[in-house]
Amino acid sequence: MQNAPAMQPGGLTIREALKLEALRQAKVVAGRRGLHRSIRWVHIVDIPEITPWLHGGELLLTTGYGWPRDPVVQRRTIRELDRLSLAGILFETGKFIESVPATVRREADRLGLPILEAPYEVKFIDITEAVHREILSRQHARLAQLEQIHRALTRAAVEAENLQEIADTLSELIGKPVTIEDAEFRLLAYTDVGGLKDSARMETIRQTRTPERVLQALDRMGFLRRMQETNGPLRIPPIPAAGMEARVVCPIRTARETLGYVWILEGQQPISELDMQAAEEIATVAALHILRQQAVASVESRVRHTFVDALLRGEFNRSPGLRERAQLMGFDHQGDYAVGVLTIAPSSQRGRRWALAGRKEFELRERYGRALRSALESLNLPQFTTFLLNQIVFLLPAATGSPRLRFCVNRLWESVRAQDPDTHLVLTVGGIYRGAEGVAQSYWEADTLVEVVYPMGGVFFYDDHVLARLLHRADRAILRKLQQDTLGRLGDGNDRLALRATLLALLGNEFNIGATARALNLHRNTVRQRLDRIRQASTVSLRDPKFWAQLVLVCEAEKYGLLREEDAPPSSRLA
């Protein structure tokens, strides 16, 4: 496998050098696919031992006077020069050689090493001067560009008020569309330049986050891992299956974590090394901005935590200073609020409340806290939150009543659930109450509800589960007795399940035989036969309202995990 030719950032390529007046009479005779090689310097060598006098990246000028005549040596010499990453070779013809040897041309074509011919009248001094002048001119222009980039990025670091201004700065510098996302690939800022279309990028902008199919494609190809490990820009080739054109991604990193990513769409013109450097520096500017914003948010969060904690403890009205700070942050001490509690655990077996242990658990809670605050902000709701062990407690204004409150809670749940579908989460919401005293009552309701619904996971409103609270405080022996009296004499296995389903369907269809049959996809007579079997097996009458009330209690107890179907003693079942 051949070594890749050295590419100098912003260098003069062989193809570009051929446009100079001094090389107007030169022509390419071999190695045309290597015309993209960059020229670092021009050097003249006319002795048999060539390689010791070269460093790599040179355009070698030779009259052919000292060039080896043996075809075997010629091939070996071309291979050695290619291994040095030579830019190309120009042979002066007409005096010492009439044309470039065929052996040299064939080997150069195989390796992609450009071979040029120029007539004897073309002076090496003119070529050297013209190429070096162009290289120095480009270097001077590059330094000027670097200075411009440095000034623009310094100004952005000092003056930018948001990430959108930082994205605008980079986009103006390089003339490419730029996107900035956070560590969870949620859209933070973007620019449009030149009308470039990329379906993955357009979908990201519409959804305000990178589509899952794009992340899966990046993961399959190993780019996600490389993005998390690298500190500099990373080129990503086109991925047509994911709707992605070629792009560059530059992680926004600190010493400890990845804060986000800067994406640049390449378009038809590849991103230059200078633009890559600008992207890397803008990522540093973005990191500084995010850290600064996090510091400000941390101070504000501590103030919010302080007054939210005081509200939950019922101590809010004892501190006039605290009330004033809370009012300045938008808390209405006469307003209607409900309290939500988001409980986090890797497993439903951990229990509803436990002290965090280790950095990963703190980071997990902070990640869900950020997601919750972001979701509150997207709903134009105040971010009144606090942490209590493995729980995040937050306040929800409820002036518009329960329907709007439930809509907002469900939206919040969707946002936090999307962080990691495998993490066990429970979101409980207390009732709506007025004033600071009401917040404490709503929190008590949300917190006590966690104990009942924690093993289930999901969203729960206290007002919907008052019966569950009563059952949770009931004697389990009494609940098992009710289970035995209602469902414990229905037989075993599939027969038991069929009779149980019939009872519940009859209850759910207001004791209508026809509706029950349709719900179970059975004939009416089959339903009647099952009911006859239940009457024969049970000691209670199906006409007794007390039986149905007890059945409702048993079903609710099973629903909340307070009873299991197998708790009914086997001896009480029919053979």
Side-chain angles (χ1 to χ4, degrees):
M1 182 176 179
Q2 304 299 329
N3 293 335
M7 298 294 293
Q8 304 301 323
L12 177 69
T13 66
I14 296 289
R15 180 179 287 106
E16 292 167 332
L18 287 169
K19 297 176 183 178
L20 298 174
E21 180 63 27
L23 285 167
R24 184 173 53 85
Q25 298 184 62
K27 61 180 180 179
V28 182
V29 297
R32 188 173 295 275
R33 64 185 172 87
L35 294 179
H36 64 283
R37 298 193 185 203
S38 293
I39 303 171
R40 183 181 61 83
W41 204 243
V42 180
H43 195 44
I44 303 170
V45 178
D46 250 335
I47 58 176
E49 294 298 327
I50 302 173
T51 54
W53 305 96
L54 299 171
H55 291 157
E58 294 93 350
L59 172 59
L60 174 63
L61 307 184
T62 178
T63 64
Y65 176 77
W67 195 261
R69 301 296 185 243
D70 184 348
V72 174
V73 180
Q74 288 176 351
R75 283 194 295 270
R76 184 174 66 243
T77 301
I78 290 296
R79 289 195 295 270
E80 290 174 350
L81 293 175
D82 183 66
R83 277 196 292 271
L84 283 174
S85 296
L86 203 68
I89 308 172
L90 184 143
F91 286 88
E92 189 178 70
T93 58
K95 186 172 183 179
F96 297 108
I97 61 172
E98 289 301 318
S99 63
V100 177
T103 302
V104 171
R105 292 200 305 270
R106 284 194 298 270
E107 190 67 14
D109 272 330
R110 187 180 71 81
L111 298 171
L113 176 62
I115 303 296
L116 314 178
E117 278 187 4
Y120 184 71
E121 293 77 20
V122 176
K123 296 181 175 59
F124 282 177
I125 185 65
D126 293 338
I127 295 175
T128 302
E129 182 180 351
V131 173
H132 286 174
R133 184 188 298 114
E134 182 65 22
I135 290 173
L136 291 173
S137 174
R138 291 184 175 219
Q139 289 178 346
H140 181 270
R142 185 170 185 271
L143 289 174
Q145 281 184 286
L146 281 172
E147 178 62 25
Q148 179 188 3
I149 290 172
H150 177 73
R151 286 198 303 268
L153 297 184
T154 301
R155 187 165 57 250
V158 174
E159 299 176 2
E161 296 184 358
N162 51 55
L163 288 170
Q164 184 59 54
E165 293 184 8
I166 293 174
D168 290 340
T169 298
L170 178 60
S171 191
E172 290 170 8
L173 283 172
I174 67 177
K176 304 279 187 183
V178 172
T179 304
I180 299 179
E181 298 174 357
D182 67 11
E184 280 76 42
F185 299 98
R186 292 179 298 230
L187 184 66
L188 300 175
Y190 72 94
T191 68
D192 277 323
V193 176
L196 294 175
K197 300 299 182 184
D198 178 279
S199 62
R201 185 175 191 268
M202 293 169 67
E203 192 173 344
T204 296
I205 293 171
R206 284 196 304 270
Q207 297 181 359
T208 68
R209 66 179 299 124
T210 297
E212 188 62 30
R213 62 181 177 80
V214 173
L215 295 178
Q216 290 174 356
L218 292 172
D219 189 31
R220 282 195 302 270
M221 300 180 70
F223 286 116
L224 276 187
R225 178 181 55 79
R226 293 173 62 188
M227 287 163 56
Q228 293 162 1
E229 294 174 351
T230 186
N231 289 319
L234 176 66
R235 287 187 182 274
I236 296 180
I239 308 177
M244 295 176 63
E245 301 292 339
R247 63 195 67 209
V248 167
V249 59
C250 191
I252 304 172
R253 293 184 62 86
T254 66
R256 294 179 54 187
E257 62 178 330
T258 299
L259 301 175
Y261 302 93
V262 177
W263 296 88
I264 306 170
L265 201 61
E266 285 201 276
Q268 297 298 318
Q269 184 65 31
I271 296 173
S272 69
E273 294 296 327
L274 193 62
D275 292 343
M276 296 275 271
Q277 185 175 341
E280 188 170 2
E281 293 188 24
I282 208 75
T284 302
V285 172
L288 292 172
H289 177 84
I290 292 172
L291 290 174
R292 185 167 63 242
Q293 293 300 103
Q294 286 180 348
V296 172
S298 177
V299 173
E300 293 179 350
S301 180
R302 282 197 293 271
V303 175
R304 289 192 183 97
H305 287 189
T306 300
F307 89 77
V308 173
D309 288 341
L311 282 167
L312 302 183
R313 294 194 302 267
E315 301 173 357
F316 181 74
N317 290 325
R318 299 179 189 176
S319 172
L322 192 60
R323 289 184 59 182
E324 181 179 341
R325 288 195 297 273
Q327 189 171 352
L328 289 173
M329 300 188 79
F331 177 72
D332 179 5
H333 67 279
Q334 294 297 325
D336 292 337
Y337 289 90
V339 174
V341 176
L342 179 66
T343 304
I344 310 163
S347 166
S348 61
Q349 307 304 315
R350 286 283 302 259
R352 73 185 180 100
R353 187 179 292 172
W354 40 271
L356 303 184
R359 176 180 164 186
K360 286 188 177 180
E361 292 187 354
F362 278 97
E363 288 179 347
L364 180 67
R365 187 184 69 175
E366 180 57 37
R367 181 154 61 88
Y368 278 106
R370 286 198 301 268
L372 182 63
R373 289 190 294 271
S374 176
L376 287 167
E377 184 180 19
S378 70
L379 292 168
N380 295 317
L381 297 174
Q383 300 169 48
F384 299 148
T385 64
T386 190
F387 293 133
L388 294 174
L389 301 178
N390 62 313
Q391 297 177 332
I392 305 170
V393 183
F394 58 97
L395 274 58
L396 288 169
T400 55
S402 180
R404 171 65 180 172
L405 174 70
R406 288 174 181 258
F407 168 80
C408 292
V409 168
N410 287 323
R411 288 288 300 275
L412 294 174
W413 173 254
E414 291 172 3
S415 296
V416 297
R417 197 78 190 95
Q419 296 298 305
D420 182 3
D422 295 328
T423 298
H424 187 75
L425 296 175
V426 179
L427 177 54
T428 54
V429 183
I432 299 173
Y433 295 95
R434 177 158 296 177
E437 294 81 3
V439 169
Q441 174 64 26
S442 184
Y443 168 64
W444 179 87
E445 293 177 354
D447 186 50
T448 54
L449 182 58
V450 176
E451 185 179 0
V452 179
V453 300
Y454 181 78
M456 302 168 62
V459 183
F460 303 91
F461 294 86
Y462 183 84
D463 291 344
D464 298 341
H465 298 277
V466 175
L467 178 58
R469 289 287 308 145
L470 291 172
L471 291 172
H472 195 76
R473 294 176 179 273
D475 189 320
R476 297 296 172 87
I478 294 176
L479 292 178
R480 283 193 291 272
K481 178 66 166 56
L482 289 177
Q483 184 187 42
Q484 177 183 340
D485 291 343
T486 54
L487 300 175
R489 298 180 179 275
L490 300 182
D492 288 313
N494 293 333
D495 189 50
R496 173 184 174 86
L497 293 176
L499 297 182
R500 172 191 171 93
T502 304
L503 277 177
L504 297 180
L506 187 66
L507 178 64
N509 287 279
E510 300 178 349
F511 306 101
N512 185 300
I513 296 291
T516 300
R518 287 191 295 274
L520 295 173
N521 198 24
L522 298 173
H523 193 277
R524 288 168 175 258
N525 291 338
T526 304
V527 173
R528 291 191 179 97
Q529 290 171 5
R530 287 186 178 183
L531 293 177
D532 289 340
R533 290 165 58 195
I534 292 171
R535 291 187 188 96
Q536 295 169 9
S538 178
T539 59
V540 297
S541 170
L542 296 185
R543 295 182 180 275
D544 186 356
K546 186 169 66 174
F547 169 80
W548 295 103
Q550 291 175 347
L551 179 62
V552 169
L553 292 176
V554 169
C555 290
E556 288 294 301
E558 290 181 349
K559 172 182 173 183
Y560 291 104
L562 303 175
L563 285 175
R564 296 172 300 172
E565 186 183 342
E566 58 268 26
D567 285 341
S571 60
S572 68
R573 301 175 187 168
L574 292 179

